[in-house]
Amino acid sequence: MASTHTHVKVADVLAVICLVFCQVIITVATGCLENEVAVQYNVTFNICCTTCAAGSGVEVECTPREDTYCVPCVSGRTYSDKTSHEEVCKPCSTCGNNTLFVLHPCNITQDTICLCPEGSYYDKEADKCRFCDLCPAGWGASRRCSAQFNTICSPCEPNVTFSNKLDYYSQCEACSKCGPQKVMLQECMTTEDTICFSVNAGRPPAGLPRINHTTPRLVDREKDRDGDIFPLYCSALVLVVVGLVGYVIFKRYQRMRSKRQQKGPCAHEDIEYSRASGGDSGVYVENDSPKMYSYCLASRVRDMPMMKQTELEKIMSVPECDSWKRLAKELGYSSKRIAHLESKHTREKNTCFRHLLHDWERREVATVSRLIQCLRNVGREDAARVVYADTTEGRTQLLSKPPSTSQNVA
């Protein structure tokens, strides 16, 4: 009886081996069709699975007993952009449910192409536009921000490259080298270029004739008395020139040092100060000049033009009037202080946001960049964009805007 069972098991094993061997022979001899792909089922057994073309997705996966079953994608809802035997139809992107950002609508073979405003990119995971990260001074954009990708910032190499810009597309620049006729006043840093000074500054031009003092000559002192004053004039002139050059170098060095020490390194040409107090009063004087007033990210909030503050106040009043409370908490205000500002609003005609802005702008940390960051943190990117638009950096980006990569994507 045991011998019979042994013969049966051996026969079953031999049958399986013959079946696998025949399948391998058939597969090697015939191969898969053009629209099929060979898929390894186990160590010694491959199967030919039909692939779903672009525009259709897999509904039932391929098995040794059943071939792949494909279904067409739904235009405007799902898509499939490649041929595959296992990929299903993927849902279309919605550009954050904002049709203004749709550059190309979704079809069965291509996803929606979202074109966010300049200075922002489309985040697929969040399905919305986000502001591009800005590379600060000392850092360069190793990958520029585009319609589909955020900025990648990399630090500049000390004494080799530098960057003194704040944007999302500028790369680190090579440091300048002083020539043979120049003296280096300051080495190149990651945030500033090399400062060179010409050694010939203040010297008389090379073409002037020189007096040969080795040859004696007779001088009529009575006739040349007035001529003795000429060398004094020349010496005084040279001293004045050297003094002016030295003063310019000193002021340049002092200004560069103050830029590194101060938080607000940019000059505000359009802000007028109180003559009565002799200091910064924070009062903006409007005039009828068509000149566009601007400020930089390091400026104090109190230096922002009054028209810009009024515009920001209107934006913060919609769509919800409590945005100023979230902003106040982000700025570090306590609930008690917020309640005080709210009670002050009931006694006066100004809005709560104006009271908040006038109260916060007196602090040392009240800079434009800090205000923009806090507006973004509370979800008011529309207000942050309005503040950033008229900054020196924002205007520079509009004037020196790099070629848009959104067309390439399209």
PDB file of all heavy atoms in Angstrom, residues 210-219:
ATOM      1  N   ARG A 210      57.935 115.646 -15.814  1.00  0.00           N
ATOM      2  CA  ARG A 210      58.598 115.615 -14.520  1.00  0.00           C
ATOM      3  C   ARG A 210      59.845 116.507 -14.563  1.00  0.00           C
ATOM      4  O   ARG A 210      60.534 116.601 -15.575  1.00  0.00           O
ATOM      5  CB  ARG A 210      59.018 114.186 -14.152  1.00  0.00           C
ATOM      6  CG  ARG A 210      57.838 113.255 -13.957  1.00  0.00           C
ATOM      7  CD  ARG A 210      58.312 111.894 -13.489  1.00  0.00           C
ATOM      8  NE  ARG A 210      57.186 111.013 -13.263  1.00  0.00           N
ATOM      9  CZ  ARG A 210      57.315 109.763 -12.834  1.00  0.00           C
ATOM     10  NH1 ARG A 210      58.539 109.276 -12.589  1.00  0.00           N
ATOM     11  NH2 ARG A 210      56.250 109.020 -12.643  1.00  0.00           N
ATOM     12  N   ILE A 211      60.153 117.150 -13.449  1.00  0.00           N
ATOM     13  CA  ILE A 211      61.305 118.057 -13.356  1.00  0.00           C
ATOM     14  C   ILE A 211      62.527 117.256 -12.949  1.00  0.00           C
ATOM     15  O   ILE A 211      62.487 116.452 -12.000  1.00  0.00           O
ATOM     16  CB  ILE A 211      61.027 119.169 -12.331  1.00  0.00           C
ATOM     17  CG1 ILE A 211      59.796 119.973 -12.767  1.00  0.00           C
ATOM     18  CG2 ILE A 211      62.236 120.067 -12.186  1.00  0.00           C
ATOM     19  CD1 ILE A 211      59.387 121.019 -11.772  1.00  0.00           C
ATOM     20  N   ASN A 212      63.600 117.443 -13.680  1.00  0.00           N
ATOM     21  CA  ASN A 212      64.851 116.768 -13.369  1.00  0.00           C
ATOM     22  C   ASN A 212      65.599 117.600 -12.324  1.00  0.00           C
ATOM     23  O   ASN A 212      66.174 118.653 -12.627  1.00  0.00           O
ATOM     24  CB  ASN A 212      65.691 116.613 -14.627  1.00  0.00           C
ATOM     25  CG  ASN A 212      66.941 115.770 -14.372  1.00  0.00           C
ATOM     26  OD1 ASN A 212      67.132 115.275 -13.261  1.00  0.00           O
ATOM     27  ND2 ASN A 212      67.780 115.635 -15.388  1.00  0.00           N
ATOM     28  N   HIS A 213      65.568 117.138 -11.078  1.00  0.00           N
ATOM     29  CA  HIS A 213      66.171 117.901  -9.982  1.00  0.00           C
ATOM     30  C   HIS A 213      67.699 117.732  -9.928  1.00  0.00           C
ATOM     31  O   HIS A 213      68.354 118.389  -9.123  1.00  0.00           O
ATOM     32  CB  HIS A 213      65.562 117.465  -8.640  1.00  0.00           C
ATOM     33  CG  HIS A 213      64.099 117.798  -8.546  1.00  0.00           C
ATOM     34  ND1 HIS A 213      63.651 119.070  -8.298  1.00  0.00           N
ATOM     35  CD2 HIS A 213      63.001 117.010  -8.683  1.00  0.00           C
ATOM     36  CE1 HIS A 213      62.329 119.072  -8.271  1.00  0.00           C
ATOM     37  NE2 HIS A 213      61.908 117.840  -8.499  1.00  0.00           N
ATOM     38  N   THR A 214      68.242 116.863 -10.776  1.00  0.00           N
ATOM     39  CA  THR A 214      69.700 116.660 -10.720  1.00  0.00           C
ATOM     40  C   THR A 214      70.466 117.779 -11.432  1.00  0.00           C
ATOM     41  O   THR A 214      71.641 117.993 -11.186  1.00  0.00           O
ATOM     42  CB  THR A 214      70.064 115.316 -11.367  1.00  0.00           C
ATOM     43  OG1 THR A 214      69.628 115.318 -12.736  1.00  0.00           O
ATOM     44  CG2 THR A 214      69.381 114.163 -10.638  1.00  0.00           C
ATOM     45  N   THR A 215      69.776 118.503 -12.327  1.00  0.00           N
ATOM     46  CA  THR A 215      70.432 119.584 -13.081  1.00  0.00           C
ATOM     47  C   THR A 215      70.239 120.902 -12.348  1.00  0.00           C
ATOM     48  O   THR A 215      69.100 121.345 -12.186  1.00  0.00           O
ATOM     49  CB  THR A 215      69.853 119.687 -14.500  1.00  0.00           C
ATOM     50  OG1 THR A 215      70.000 118.415 -15.139  1.00  0.00           O
ATOM     51  CG2 THR A 215      70.577 120.763 -15.298  1.00  0.00           C
ATOM     52  N   PRO A 216      71.293 121.552 -11.897  1.00  0.00           N
ATOM     53  CA  PRO A 216      71.133 122.835 -11.177  1.00  0.00           C
ATOM     54  C   PRO A 216      70.707 123.928 -12.142  1.00  0.00           C
ATOM     55  O   PRO A 216      71.060 123.934 -13.318  1.00  0.00           O
ATOM     56  CB  PRO A 216      72.525 123.092 -10.602  1.00  0.00           C
ATOM     57  CG  PRO A 216      73.450 122.381 -11.521  1.00  0.00           C
ATOM     58  CD  PRO A 216      72.730 121.171 -11.996  1.00  0.00           C
ATOM     59  N   ARG A 217      69.937 124.857 -11.643  1.00  0.00           N
ATOM     60  CA  ARG A 217      69.516 125.996 -12.450  1.00  0.00           C
ATOM     61  C   ARG A 217      69.457 127.234 -11.580  1.00  0.00           C
ATOM     62  O   ARG A 217      69.198 127.151 -10.374  1.00  0.00           O
ATOM     63  CB  ARG A 217      68.153 125.726 -13.100  1.00  0.00           C
ATOM     64  CG  ARG A 217      66.996 125.570 -12.115  1.00  0.00           C
ATOM     65  CD  ARG A 217      65.742 125.104 -12.842  1.00  0.00           C
ATOM     66  NE  ARG A 217      64.614 124.966 -11.919  1.00  0.00           N
ATOM     67  CZ  ARG A 217      63.732 125.927 -11.680  1.00  0.00           C
ATOM     68  NH1 ARG A 217      63.880 127.121 -12.277  1.00  0.00           N
ATOM     69  NH2 ARG A 217      62.745 125.730 -10.850  1.00  0.00           N
ATOM     70  N   LEU A 218      69.700 128.380 -12.213  1.00  0.00           N
ATOM     71  CA  LEU A 218      69.670 129.652 -11.519  1.00  0.00           C
ATOM     72  C   LEU A 218      68.237 130.162 -11.463  1.00  0.00           C
ATOM     73  O   LEU A 218      67.503 130.116 -12.443  1.00  0.00           O
ATOM     74  CB  LEU A 218      70.554 130.667 -12.246  1.00  0.00           C
ATOM     75  CG  LEU A 218      72.048 130.303 -12.302  1.00  0.00           C
ATOM     76  CD1 LEU A 218      72.792 131.359 -13.123  1.00  0.00           C
ATOM     77  CD2 LEU A 218      72.635 130.208 -10.898  1.00  0.00           C
ATOM     78  N   VAL A 219      67.874 130.644 -10.327  1.00  0.00           N
ATOM     79  CA  VAL A 219      66.510 131.125 -10.128  1.00  0.00           C
ATOM     80  C   VAL A 219      66.552 132.579  -9.702  1.00  0.00           C
ATOM     81  O   VAL A 219      67.293 132.937  -8.771  1.00  0.00           O
ATOM     82  CB  VAL A 219      65.769 130.282  -9.056  1.00  0.00           C
ATOM     83  CG1 VAL A 219      64.369 130.813  -8.848  1.00  0.00           C
ATOM     84  CG2 VAL A 219      65.733 128.823  -9.491  1.00  0.00           C
TER      85      VAL A 219
END
